[in-house]
Amino acid sequence: MTATVDLMVRAEGVRKRFGDTEVLKGVDAMVSRGEVFCLIGASGSGKSTFLRCINHLETIDSGRLLVDGRYVGYEERDGSLFEVGERELAARRAEIGMVFQRFNLFPHLTALENVTRAPVMLGRMKRAEAIETARVLLARVGLADRADHYPSELSGGQQQRVAIARALAMAPKLMLFDEPTSALDPELVGEVLSVMKDLAREGRTMVVVTHEIGFARDVADTLAFMDGGQIVECGPPDRMIREPSHPRTAAFLSRVRLASHPPD
Amino acid sequence: MTEAQVMTGLEAAYAFPVVRRRFPIGQFATGFGAIAALAFIAAVVGKSQAVEWSAIPAFMIDPSILGGLLLTLQLTVAAMLIGIALGAVLSAMAISGNIVLQTMAAGFVWCFRGVPLIVQIFFWFNIALFVPDLKLGGIDISVNAIVTPAVAGLLALGLHEAANMSEVIRAGLLSVDSGQHDACRALGMTRGQALRGIVLPQAIRVIIPPTGNQAIGMLKASAIVSVIGMEDLLTRAQHIYARNFLVIELLIVASIWYLAVTTIATVGQHYLERAFARGYGRRNAARANAAVAAEDSRP
């Protein structure tokens, strides 16, 4: 298993079905430590489902999906996977941060409390320490002066930045982003992307499902195109955007390029 | 302000037509009608020689009436506490995903919500008829000694309420967006931690109004214990008018007390709702706009 040491995510033949529809039809992917991995594709191609499988928000039906050399929700015994207990699963999930399309902030808590709640509840930090950490994190996402605001008092872009701070508070070794800018007004997209660029620059391992081709081109180490429940093409973003080798990648990119905003 | 904005303001004030509200003639008409109807009813009631108005104040603070009021309040509070506690457990069972627990909760609700309250009261009152005694280890306990009328009334009201409250609480829990559960799980919380720490505090906001409704309903429904000889507010009033024949007067006395307690409960509910409205509402919208504006004006 020495080859897998530097792999943060290793997916092999991951399959997942919802009822009669097979959403993931054997997904293979490798994400190294410190890599930014952007996943693009049409809606319904399975990219969000794959992302949710990585931290076991969705179960898988077959295949291998390891994070940092280990299954998140399973244990392998005699060639089969068995689900782990709830506490064990929660502890493994806590090491993986996730940012959602619709922010999913806790509406009854202030920005600061949103960030401190999980570390305090899970016994990672004392309250005072958590508050201090949260203030630092909120300052990093440019919201030092919004700490006492409730989510309903913040714009979409501000909410998403609080959500990023909340995920970072658990000191995750891997960050998952599920279309983090898709629910934002166009003028608010930039502020969230710039926070994500900062994280990438720090060398964080990130898997990002996105429609922002410009962001993917600037920040991603690897760009993957998903279609029909499989990753059909994967490589350095520059080459892939310039000369996609798969006809469906080419078709998708030309559609997106027409719709996307001009590069900044 | 820029010059263009100043111009627009002046133009709006001096050049463009201003919207005038329509005179609300319909509201005046209904108001007039309502006052006339009330005056008519007051005249009919006030003229009645049969009602001895002067007797009412004394009975309001009659020790027997106050004793009855105390029992009514005790029953209401105790039954609501049983209802909320057991209802919370039942609703947690109902959404647990464990089919055995779900079936048990559904069966409880089906039974205790479906049988009329008065039947349940008679049932508990007469339970010793088919379970005369309990043998626990070496100790033999007479059921009649445990299930006094007070216990029978409380059990009936409390279990009936638990069935209703479990549905109220379940509805509250379901009202919380599924994204909240996702966020909790992604942060590494267990189901229980998420439920207690994040989901329930949000659900309470939705649970409070119907619970207030249930509590007020319970205050009045508790009068039903008169059928097993418990001396609540209404029963005490009945006892008094059976002796002095001041039927309407004592019913008015009881009604005033019921209304008084209901009013206090309504005010209490208002403050409770406000306390749990953290993060919602108008004040927030105003601050949101201010926050966004401040952000925009930054260099």
Side-chain angles (χ1 to χ4, degrees):
Chain A
M1 297 283 269
T2 44
T4 65
V5 164
D6 270 303
L7 279 184
M8 186 54 85
V9 179
R10 182 162 73 115
E12 292 169 6
V14 173
R15 288 180 177 271
K16 165 77 182 171
R17 60 169 57 245
F18 289 117
D20 290 337
T21 15
E22 189 163 42
V23 191
L24 302 180
K25 297 172 182 167
V27 177
D28 300 309
M30 303 280 182
V31 181
S32 311
R33 195 180 302 277
E35 181 178 350
V36 176
F37 185 95
C38 280
L39 195 54
I40 58 171
S43 52
S45 59
K47 53 195 196 306
S48 280
T49 305
F50 175 62
L51 194 75
R52 290 170 63 87
C53 287
I54 295 177
N55 66 347
H56 201 74
L57 284 184
E58 303 287 351
T59 56
I60 64 173
D61 296 328
S62 68
R64 281 209 171 83
L65 183 42
L66 293 98
V67 173
D68 204 10
R70 204 156 76 135
Y71 290 96
V72 174
Y74 303 104
E75 243 139 24
E76 190 165 356
R77 287 199 299 269
D78 313 325
S80 290
L81 297 183
F82 296 91
E83 293 200 320
V84 297
E86 202 198 350
R87 296 204 155 272
E88 180 61 28
L89 171 62
R92 293 185 194 180
R93 266 199 194 121
E95 303 182 320
I96 306 170
M98 189 167 198
V99 173
F100 300 88
Q101 183 177 353
R102 285 168 52 239
F103 330 136
N104 297 346
L105 288 181
F106 306 134
H108 62 305
L109 302 178
T110 63
L112 187 81
E113 292 167 331
N114 262 280
V115 181
T116 59
R117 185 50 59 96
V120 172
M121 186 191 276
L122 304 181
R124 295 293 178 92
M125 292 180 202
K126 293 264 183 288
R127 185 171 298 275
E129 185 193 357
I131 290 173
E132 206 170 303
T133 310
R135 290 204 184 278
V136 171
L137 288 172
L138 286 175
R140 259 181 57 192
V141 298
L143 292 172
D145 53 346
R146 295 285 175 270
D148 297 324
H149 284 61
Y150 288 99
S152 65
E153 299 170 336
L154 299 171
S155 72
Q158 293 171 334
Q159 288 189 53
Q160 192 62 298
R161 287 185 280 154
V162 173
I164 293 172
R166 176 176 70 175
L168 291 176
M170 294 299 289
K173 57 188 177 190
L174 167 68
M175 284 285 285
L176 307 176
F177 293 84
D178 188 4
E179 302 196 26
T181 58
S182 297
L184 296 176
D185 291 338
E187 80 270 22
L188 302 177
V189 168
E191 62 190 63
V192 171
L193 292 183
S194 95
V195 167
M196 290 169 62
K197 279 182 191 169
D198 288 345
L199 294 179
R201 227 171 277 139
E202 287 170 14
R204 282 196 177 269
T205 317
M206 296 160 63
V207 179
V208 185
V209 170
T210 187
H211 291 296
E212 300 289 335
I213 302 295
F215 171 81
R217 188 196 51 217
D218 295 350
V219 179
D221 299 304
T222 308
L223 183 62
F225 173 68
M226 203 156 171
D227 187 74
Q230 282 179 320
I231 290 179
V232 295
E233 187 173 354
C234 183
D238 265 340
R239 184 196 56 68
M240 224 173 110
I241 291 170
R242 217 175 332 110
E243 44 199 47
S245 61
H246 198 285
R248 274 186 293 194
T249 316
F252 176 78
L253 283 173
S254 68
R255 276 203 311 278
V256 173
R257 230 181 257 126
L258 287 175
S260 70
H261 339 286
D264 46 9
Chain B
M1 250 195 213
T2 64
E3 200 179 290
Q5 280 172 309
V6 175
M7 282 302 293
T8 334
L10 290 175
E11 277 164 7
Y14 295 110
F16 292 117
V18 174
V19 178
R20 302 263 181 226
R21 292 276 169 91
R22 272 188 70 194
F23 182 72
I25 191 156
Q27 286 191 41
F28 274 87
T30 43
F32 183 76
I35 290 168
L38 274 176
F40 177 74
I41 294 169
V44 170
V45 175
K47 261 192 192 162
S48 165
Q49 300 300 313
V51 181
E52 242 182 78
W53 297 100
S54 57
I56 292 177
F59 280 117
M60 284 297 295
I61 50 166
D62 186 284
S64 169
I65 291 287
L66 291 181
L69 175 66
L70 182 64
L71 181 73
T72 292
L73 289 176
Q74 286 169 335
L75 262 182
T76 304
V77 171
M80 280 311 294
L81 288 179
I82 293 175
I84 290 169
L86 189 53
V89 174
L90 286 166
S91 62
M93 287 163 69
I95 62 164
S96 66
N98 177 329
I99 191 116
V100 180
L101 294 177
Q102 281 175 343
T103 310
M104 284 166 65
F108 183 96
V109 171
W110 173 75
C111 178
F112 286 93
R113 194 177 57 172
V115 176
L117 185 51
I118 194 161
V119 176
Q120 293 187 41
I121 287 203
F122 283 130
F123 180 83
W124 286 110
F125 188 63
N126 294 309
I127 188 114
L129 290 181
F130 63 94
V131 189
D133 51 3
L134 283 173
K135 288 194 179 68
L136 289 175
I139 314 159
D140 196 348
I141 307 163
S142 156
V143 167
N144 249 341
I146 305 175
V147 187
T148 59
V151 173
L154 191 58
L155 273 175
L157 290 172
L159 295 181
H160 182 256
E161 193 57 30
N164 288 320
M165 278 307 298
S166 83
E167 288 296 284
V168 167
I169 296 169
R170 192 170 69 90
L173 294 175
L174 291 180
S175 76
V176 177
D177 184 73
S178 68
Q180 297 287 307
H181 294 273
D182 281 351
C184 291
R185 290 160 71 202
L187 283 165
M189 298 180 196
T190 61
R191 281 178 64 99
Q193 285 171 326
L195 189 68
R196 286 189 305 274
I198 299 295
V199 177
L200 197 57
Q202 292 178 56
I204 283 179
R205 199 179 129 260
V206 181
I207 291 170
I208 289 171
T211 304
N213 204 31
Q214 290 292 119
I216 288 167
M218 172 62 70
L219 177 77
K220 296 171 297 169
S222 66
I224 208 168
V225 297
S226 64
V227 299
I228 53 171
M230 285 182 78
E231 308 238 326
D232 73 309
L233 176 58
L234 177 66
T235 314
R236 288 281 171 85
Q238 287 173 315
H239 285 336
I240 297 175
Y241 72 61
R243 293 194 303 271
N244 64 12
F245 303 110
L246 295 173
V247 178
I248 295 294
E249 291 79 353
L250 279 147
L251 289 179
I252 290 174
V253 166
S255 300
I256 291 173
W257 272 122
Y258 281 121
L259 282 173
V261 177
T262 304
T263 306
I264 294 167
T266 309
V267 173
Q269 182 186 331
H270 171 76
Y271 284 103
L272 208 56
E273 275 179 34
R274 223 169 55 171
F276 280 97
R278 216 154 96 79
Y280 300 87
R282 270 172 185 279
R283 184 187 71 97
N284 298 307
R287 273 178 72 177
N289 290 335
V292 174
E295 185 90 345
D296 287 348
S297 66
R298 249 186 240 172

